[in-house]
Amino acid sequence: MSDPMRPPVSHHRPQTASLRSDPSRPRASLRTAVVWDVLKDALDRRVKATGRDAHVGLDVLDTGGGSGNFAVPVARLGHRVTVVDPSPNALFALERRAAEAGVADRVRGVQGDAHGLFDVVERGAYDAVLCHGVLEYVDDPAEGIGNAVAALRSEGVLSLLASGLGGAVLARALAGHFKEARHALDDPNGRWGEGDPVPHRFTAGQLTELVEGAGLRVAAVHGVRVFADLVPGVLVDTEPGALDALLKLEAAAAELPAFHSVATQLHVLGETPVATED
């Protein structure tokens, strides 16, 4: 196992151009641009590795996928997506969103959660698994990752997105809540107090250790929302060229380990060892 405090340097550099050219992704995609570009690249490589026709697509599982922020764009690429979410309202919104996007035949929503994942989906049935915004809320993060990995086929890819410790500490400090910022630093779960709605936060090292412990190779680590949550929205909306410049800045900083420690979220791309062989 590699040193968990020194995540590997990514060879998958985010490209903001693909996001800007996609009319289905509004300005709010500023917060997910890095994840989307890394994920799309990983799925494209999986298609090539499987040798399938591009029109056949992959089987993708989106755990905690909610109303389809990622599931619907993934389906638009031609993949079949199963979304597992505990909220009936979110699944209803997913169904409507998929229909409006013209991908209802490639998106399936089922009610469930990470703990009872295999009560609703099959083990080893997916080419890719998305685990976005889930690990923070499970009682046992190692079990959550283990279930996500167990859903993969022998060759597959895991996209993991979770709350970053450093981003929360920085946000509390900038808001003038210095005691809460210090509390988050010292708390084993990265919580700033009893009123904190997030049960767990992670460092890049902790996430890579969890992914490697589940048997995957960490192919890339990126910081997400390094600057987006700190820049006033009015500046992005009114300053000419600000959104484009901020997108490029986020992409440039995302893979630099120095910025992982202050990112609001952390994205880890894990691949089965066979899937990474040349």
Side-chain angles (χ1 to χ4, degrees):
M1 180 181 298
S2 61
D3 183 349
M5 298 307 294
R6 296 178 60 84
V9 175
S10 166
H11 296 292
H12 311 295
R13 181 180 294 273
Q15 301 292 328
T16 57
S18 65
L19 200 76
R20 293 195 303 273
S21 63
D22 185 349
S24 72
R25 299 184 66 80
R27 188 185 71 82
S29 65
L30 174 64
R31 295 189 173 190
T32 57
V34 168
V35 180
W36 172 250
D37 282 322
V38 175
L39 175 61
K40 183 179 182 299
D41 177 69
L43 294 176
D44 289 345
R45 288 185 290 109
R46 277 279 76 225
V47 170
K48 293 179 181 179
T50 59
R52 300 178 194 172
D53 184 279
H55 298 292
V56 175
L58 303 173
D59 293 308
V60 179
L61 174 64
D62 188 352
T63 64
S67 60
N69 287 339
F70 280 90
V72 169
V74 167
R76 284 168 61 92
L77 297 176
H79 306 301
R80 297 170 298 281
V81 187
T82 298
V83 176
V84 176
D85 197 278
S87 170
N89 291 336
L91 293 175
F92 177 78
L94 167 70
E95 183 179 357
R96 182 176 59 190
R97 190 174 195 169
E100 292 174 349
V103 294
D105 60 328
R106 294 198 293 273
V107 177
R108 179 174 72 102
V110 294
Q111 190 172 359
D113 56 31
H115 177 70
L117 186 62
F118 300 115
D119 293 335
V120 294
V121 301
E122 295 182 33
R123 292 178 181 270
Y126 299 92
D127 301 291
V129 173
L130 280 57
C131 186
H132 296 173
V134 173
L135 211 61
E136 300 94 321
Y137 300 99
V138 299
D139 292 334
D140 185 347
E143 179 189 22
I145 289 291
N147 283 348
V149 172
L152 287 172
R153 289 179 170 139
S154 59
E155 299 182 28
V157 61
L158 169 70
S159 175
L160 172 64
L161 181 67
S163 294
L165 170 62
V169 173
L170 183 62
R172 301 315 289 175
L174 290 177
H177 303 300
F178 306 121
K179 290 183 179 179
E180 292 180 348
R182 176 57 189 271
H183 189 282
L185 272 177
D186 296 334
D187 187 79
N189 292 315
R191 304 184 74 235
W192 47 256
E194 293 184 1
D196 192 338
V198 179
H200 302 280
R201 290 189 180 88
F202 305 89
T203 65
Q206 289 170 335
L207 290 179
T208 58
E209 189 171 19
L210 283 168
V211 170
E212 290 177 334
L216 297 186
R217 176 184 181 276
V218 173
V221 178
H222 291 91
V224 179
R225 292 159 57 184
V226 175
F227 306 104
D229 291 350
L230 303 177
V231 176
V234 65
L235 174 63
V236 177
D237 291 334
T238 61
E239 185 71 19
L243 175 60
D244 184 67
L246 185 53
L247 278 166
K248 291 179 178 178
L249 178 61
E250 286 279 353
E255 64 179 325
L256 300 177
F259 289 98
H260 295 170
S261 60
V262 295
T264 299
Q265 294 177 304
L266 294 163
H267 183 246
V268 177
L269 189 71
E271 298 180 344
T272 56
V274 175
T276 61
E277 292 179 357
D278 294 329

